[in-house]
Amino acid sequence: MIVGGAIRAEIEPFLARAWVAENADRFGDALTPPEWVWREYCLAAYEAEEIVGAAIFRVRGGVAHLKNVISAGARRSRGIGGALVGEFENRARALGCHKLTLTTYHEDQSLRFYRRHGFEIEAVLRNDAFHVDRCQMVRFLDQG
């Protein structure tokens, strides 16, 4: 056996065959390859037609992951981030998601912000990217 670098186009046919078989073994025929692809969505907050905040999230398998939320520096602490997180939840619920996730800095104001919006720490990622402690947060959506 030889292991070496490859480009994505070279391995794509193998991945397509191998993952279809693996997923069928684990989940039966209920899941098809497109269900495994993350779908990405964007949100924007506007004031007088100017974008003052934005969020990006992705959805796969009933889980919505919030990748980014940011509001304009001069407009922080005015509810923009909270409105974006609320709309993220609404969209995720409409897409049939049962779980919301995000990753943020540990022991930081962003952690306190997400806790106020119902998220809890699922795991702490010590010495993560750029040697910063981060945490994975989760919030389960009501199914009723």
Side-chain angles (χ1 to χ4, degrees):
M1 172 176 41
I2 299 171
V3 177
I7 60 172
R8 181 74 184 218
E10 289 179 303
I11 66 171
E12 199 62 48
F14 167 78
L15 292 174
R17 289 188 313 275
W19 280 118
V20 167
E22 180 67 20
N23 292 338
D25 286 347
R26 289 183 185 267
F27 304 107
D29 292 329
L31 296 177
T32 60
E35 293 177 78
W36 287 95
V37 175
W38 288 103
R39 290 173 289 149
E40 189 169 88
Y41 301 87
C42 300
L43 302 171
Y46 299 90
E47 286 182 359
E49 299 183 24
E50 176 187 1
I51 295 177
V52 295
I56 300 171
F57 69 98
R58 58 187 187 174
V59 174
R60 179 178 71 179
V63 176
H65 181 77
L66 186 60
K67 290 176 63 177
N68 303 97
V69 174
I70 190 161
S71 55
R75 291 185 167 96
R76 289 201 177 121
S77 299
R78 291 188 182 177
I80 295 168
L84 288 164
V85 170
E87 186 61 19
F88 160 62
E89 177 186 337
N90 292 339
R91 301 276 176 117
R93 194 180 299 278
L95 291 165
C97 294
H98 65 278
K99 180 179 179 180
L100 308 177
T101 64
L102 61 90
T103 304
T104 192
Y105 299 107
H106 189 246
E107 302 302 331
D108 183 85
Q109 66 185 12
S110 63
L111 175 68
R112 292 185 294 279
F113 168 81
Y114 291 118
R115 279 188 163 150
R116 283 194 310 271
H117 292 279
F119 287 84
E120 59 188 54
I121 295 175
E122 186 171 42
V124 176
L125 311 170
R126 301 275 181 222
N127 199 20
D128 199 36
F130 305 106
H131 302 282
V132 175
D133 290 347
R134 294 166 36 97
C135 60
Q136 176 73 22
M137 300 190 82
V138 65
R139 180 169 172 212
F140 290 95
L141 297 177
D142 299 335
Q143 296 301 308

